[in-house]
Amino acid sequence: MVNGPSVPSASSADGTPPPAPESALARHITTEIGTTLALPRGGERLWILFLLLVITAGAAAYIMQLIYGLSVTGMRDYVSWGVYMTNFVFFIGVSHAGTLISAILRVTNAEWRRPITRMAEGITVFALLVGAPMVIVDMGRPDRLQHVILYGRLNSPILWDVLSVTTYITGSFLYLYVASIPDFAILARQGSTGNTFSVLRLRIYNFFSLGYRGTPQQKHHLERALGTMAVVIIPVAVSVHTVVSWVFGMTLRPGWHSTIFGPYFVIGAIFSGTAGIVLAMAVFRRVYGLEKYLTNRHFRYLGTLLLVFNILYIYFTLSEYLTTWYGGESVDMRLVDMLMGASHFGPLFWGTIVFGLFVPAILLVLPIKKTIAPIVIAAILVNIGMWVKRYLIIIPTMLTPFIDPKAAGATPSYIPTFVEWMITAAAFAFFLLLFTMFAKFLPIISIWETVEGVETLGAERTGVSPELQKLAGKEIQ
Amino acid sequence: MKPMISLLVMILLAALPMTARAADDMAGMDMSMPHAMTAPAATTTSPAGPVPTIVVAPRVEEGNRMLGATVTLNGKPLVGAQVSFLVQRSFGIMNIGHDETLDDGVAAVKFPEGLPGGAAGTLHIIVRVAGTPRYAAASTDATIDADIIVVPDPDPFPRAIWAPKAPIPLILTLALALAGVWTTFVFVIIQLRALYKAR
């Protein structure tokens, strides 16, 4: 369970008691982090414009797909899941960032999590919002989406996926919101953020703050809500990626029908999710100058976690392919030959193994403490590698049916088309846009958790700059 | 808001012709698929010439069970006609033999012993006579008793997607898991309500 926030209260225009005295530390942190909430300027506007352009191009590509059907994609009778489903699995995987960083570290009282929980929870929600609709994009007749509900069968892992992803999205939204209530209360007072918010924006903050003033009773309810969500969201997240793996694993296809697919997918999801949070931290730290809050220590700790999951993923990959290869079933061997042999998947497979798994592991064990560059480079490689790995899990298996296509005189192939790449680019742009806009609406670093951490545990344990410690304990009216 | 509404309208407009085209595709679809074998006997498949008549019946020749077809043209046996014997299966038509008619107009192939006849225990036989400049191609179908009757398993794949009902344990497991999680969400919302009331 979490400790109650020691942050000040929301406005009291309705005659409630005046706000409690605000500490100098709380004011300082609120002012510094509050700068991220200013309206977009210069480079930020260009960035948003660029993202909007990519999203518009992707929307146009999707409209073209709606008009002409899936014939504008590279998908045909053999390959019905292409880059869209790759994106789906990838984004669901990235969404595990919030669960790992926020929930697991919260439950285990890892206090250094405090400045990075908000980002992690945001990644979870936005990755789900972008990833889940990729299934609809993959549908040839999205106008029949309601059939999943009307005629869905509980026998089908696809329906299990719909149920678990819906539950996960709801839970992630709730978790992000509960953890943000004290910050909504801070923002509703706007003064200490150094910004001048519009009346509408203040009303929104006030509405979502639920009148939080940090009273012992309110802290008690917040603790219970947050503690409960932190516990329940972990099995939900694990079950979601397990069910995603079952969509593949429950089918009798080479490369998919494997009992380790559940844990293999879960480890892969946490692996890419951790890499995702490292990248987000690096970007926000650089863009908004948050070096005091996102310190080298945070990167080192996350780098260690990333290394652990990197090694685990190597282990699972070895176990999966060694078993398949050693078994030597003819259809499995066709898949192994395609993946590791002379086909165009060979360089992709070995490139992923080398640059997506082993090079990051080497970078992460380097004894470098003064720079975060190796960890960030490792995170970039891991994210690229994990996207390609999902591509390699889906496509080669679809090209390897039990009856050899050669026997039927067919030569199946799959090359993603421009339409697919544009929609994929738009999905990534939409994810980045949601994150950018989120950072303009809520502090990207949880103010109340950071203040509470420094005040009650010290800067050292919270992982933030020791400069902040000097301000702790001083109070201003 | 306006751009969003415009985008929505564009998507709807785009979807309309798609639906119309899908309907056109359905209308133009070739419905003479193998499973739609309801054609009358001795139908012509070529416009030119008189149409031979075909009568299909099992027969015994020199102690061997055979499947025979007697082909006549204008009431007289048709000699030298090329006859194909086929049988309708679940996913297509299987060729079981080919023969040429003799002086009595009869062509015959070995009876398809061991070919399962499904729940009804019958085989749907199709016999085709190739057309020549002298007469048109013809085809007929007949139902004969098969040697093997396959009694269908009422629930062969209880967990398959196409199975009519999900197993009770599966439904219970899913329902309990979902109920547990959603009840927890409700508990959290109750806590938030209490937090709001304590403002």
Side-chain angles (χ1 to χ4, degrees):
Chain A
M1 300 292 273
V2 293
N3 294 318
S6 60
V7 286
S9 55
S11 60
S12 52
D14 56 351
T16 50
E22 189 180 51
S23 73
L25 176 69
R27 193 174 181 83
H28 178 81
I29 292 179
T30 306
T31 306
E32 280 203 332
I33 298 176
T35 55
T36 62
L37 301 168
L39 288 174
R41 291 179 294 243
E44 286 176 331
R45 284 188 182 180
L46 282 176
W47 168 243
I48 291 170
L49 185 67
F50 167 73
L51 294 177
L52 285 172
L53 282 174
V54 177
I55 292 167
T56 308
Y62 185 57
I63 289 170
M64 185 187 283
Q65 184 179 305
L66 280 175
I67 295 170
Y68 296 105
L70 290 176
S71 64
V72 299
T73 70
M75 292 186 282
R76 293 294 182 266
D77 49 354
Y78 278 96
V79 178
S80 53
W81 289 350
V83 289
Y84 299 149
M85 290 303 284
T86 305
N87 294 335
F88 168 71
V89 180
F90 176 78
F91 277 114
I92 298 287
V94 168
S95 77
H96 275 52
T99 314
L100 175 81
I101 304 304
S102 184
I104 297 180
L105 298 184
R106 196 187 293 277
V107 167
T108 54
N109 281 328
E111 304 298 345
W112 58 271
R113 73 170 196 275
R114 291 170 181 270
I116 55 179
T117 49
R118 180 71 46 75
M119 260 179 277
E121 290 153 12
I123 284 182
T124 297
V125 170
F126 304 134
L128 286 172
L129 286 180
V130 175
M134 293 312 294
V135 179
I136 301 169
V137 175
D138 189 72
M139 293 170 76
R141 293 291 302 269
D143 54 309
R144 292 178 178 171
L145 180 65
Q146 74 279 9
H147 290 196
V148 175
I149 306 299
L150 295 175
Y151 310 112
R153 286 167 184 260
L154 280 177
N155 315 33
S156 166
I158 288 176
L159 194 64
W160 306 347
D161 218 20
V162 172
L163 294 171
S164 60
V165 170
T166 310
T167 304
Y168 190 35
I169 288 178
T170 310
S172 300
F173 257 114
L174 197 54
Y175 185 45
L176 172 64
Y177 172 60
V178 171
S180 304
I181 288 174
D183 276 3
F184 277 122
I186 292 170
L187 295 173
R189 292 188 308 113
Q190 81 165 329
S192 52
T193 64
N195 293 297
T196 307
F197 297 137
S198 67
V199 175
L200 176 65
R201 192 163 168 174
L202 282 174
R203 279 185 184 169
I204 292 171
Y205 287 144
N206 206 33
F207 175 78
F208 284 116
S209 74
L210 296 180
Y212 187 80
R213 289 182 294 112
T215 64
Q217 204 181 350
Q218 286 185 318
K219 282 181 185 176
H220 169 72
H221 291 303
L222 187 74
E223 271 179 33
R224 289 186 81 177
L226 202 47
T228 307
M229 279 311 301
V231 171
V232 80
I233 204 72
I234 296 169
V236 170
V238 169
S239 71
V240 166
H241 222 71
T242 305
V243 172
V244 168
S245 84
W246 285 347
V247 170
F248 299 94
M250 296 292 176
T251 53
L252 302 173
R253 300 202 63 149
W256 288 357
H257 192 56
S258 161
T259 54
I260 68 161
F261 242 42
Y264 190 29
F265 267 52
V266 171
I267 293 296
I270 300 175
F271 183 37
S272 58
T274 310
I277 186 70
V278 168
L279 281 184
M281 280 166 55
V283 171
F284 281 113
R285 176 178 137 126
R286 174 95 181 178
V287 172
Y288 294 115
L290 298 172
E291 286 83 358
K292 264 195 271 182
Y293 302 92
L294 302 171
T295 61
N296 286 16
R297 183 182 298 182
H298 290 115
F299 283 89
R300 280 208 311 278
Y301 287 166
L302 280 177
T304 307
L305 275 176
L306 195 58
L307 179 62
V308 169
F309 290 111
N310 194 338
I311 292 167
L312 275 172
Y313 199 76
I314 290 172
Y315 161 71
F316 271 99
T317 304
L318 180 71
S319 175
E320 173 70 7
Y321 289 109
L322 184 65
T323 312
T324 305
W325 170 73
Y326 203 84
E329 288 273 354
S330 63
V331 66
D332 285 341
M333 289 313 291
R334 272 195 281 128
L335 177 68
V336 169
D337 286 344
M338 184 186 285
L339 266 178
M340 304 179 190
S343 79
H344 72 279
F345 292 111
L348 270 181
F349 179 81
W350 291 113
T352 306
I353 297 295
V354 173
F355 295 105
L357 293 180
F358 282 98
V359 171
I362 292 166
L363 285 169
L364 291 168
V365 294
L366 288 178
I368 299 169
K369 292 186 176 175
K370 289 185 179 172
T371 173
I372 61 168
I375 300 170
V376 176
I377 293 169
I380 293 170
L381 289 174
V382 167
N383 268 314
I384 296 171
M386 288 308 288
W387 190 91
V388 177
K389 185 70 178 63
R390 271 64 178 260
Y391 182 85
L392 290 171
I393 286 175
I394 296 171
I395 313 303
T397 286
M398 299 219 86
L399 292 171
T400 315
F402 270 96
I403 296 176
D404 192 344
K406 284 178 191 165
T411 311
S413 67
Y414 171 70
I415 298 169
T417 61
F418 182 71
V419 167
E420 288 170 279
W421 287 125
M422 275 317 304
I423 292 175
T424 298
F428 278 88
F430 188 49
F431 173 74
L432 295 172
L433 181 68
L434 284 173
F435 219 147
T436 305
M437 301 312 289
F438 174 70
K440 288 284 151 198
F441 180 68
L442 257 181
I444 201 66
I445 290 175
S446 173
I447 295 174
W448 73 272
E449 281 200 271
T450 309
V451 170
E452 182 188 78
V454 177
E455 283 186 343
T456 57
L457 305 161
E460 171 85 13
R461 284 188 65 190
T462 315
V464 298
S465 165
E467 280 177 47
L468 299 170
Q469 187 71 57
K470 294 172 192 167
L471 295 164
K474 296 179 185 173
E475 289 196 346
I476 56 172
Q477 207 62 39
Chain B
M1 198 63 189
K2 272 186 178 176
M4 283 188 68
I5 293 170
S6 308
L7 184 65
L8 198 65
V9 170
M10 281 174 70
I11 291 172
L12 283 173
L13 285 174
L16 278 175
M18 178 195 71
T19 314
R21 186 170 28 260
D24 291 346
D25 289 348
M26 288 289 287
M29 192 183 283
D30 178 14
M31 297 305 285
S32 59
M33 300 292 282
H35 59 268
M37 292 303 298
T38 53
T43 53
T44 349
T45 51
S46 164
V51 183
T53 304
I54 311 165
V55 176
V56 182
R59 54 196 288 138
V60 177
E61 290 180 5
E62 297 171 358
N64 295 319
R65 289 179 71 198
M66 305 293 285
L67 183 63
T70 307
V71 185
T72 54
L73 186 65
N74 300 325
K76 294 177 182 172
L78 185 61
V79 183
Q82 300 299 316
V83 183
S84 298
F85 292 81
L86 308 111
V87 61
Q88 177 75 55
R89 308 307 291 162
S90 297
F91 299 104
I93 298 172
M94 188 172 77
N95 191 354
I96 53 172
H98 178 88
D99 196 22
E100 189 176 300
T101 52
L102 300 177
D103 294 345
D104 56 357
V106 173
V109 294
K110 192 172 180 299
F111 190 87
E113 292 170 351
L115 204 58
T122 55
L123 293 173
H124 186 147
I125 302 293
I126 301 156
V127 176
R128 289 176 184 160
V129 173
T132 67
R134 200 158 60 86
Y135 51 85
S139 167
T140 190
D141 53 353
T143 302
I144 61 169
D145 290 336
D147 286 352
I148 301 171
I149 300 172
V150 178
V151 180
D153 185 340
D155 196 10
F157 302 101
R159 290 173 301 282
I161 294 169
W162 61 87
K165 285 179 184 173
I168 302 271
L170 175 67
I171 296 172
L172 281 178
T173 307
L174 278 172
L176 281 175
L178 285 172
V181 174
W182 282 89
T183 305
T184 313
F185 291 170
V186 172
F187 171 77
V188 169
I189 290 167
I190 290 169
Q191 293 304 313
L192 295 184
R193 189 164 174 268
L195 183 151
Y196 175 70
K197 282 192 165 181
R199 71 190 184 279

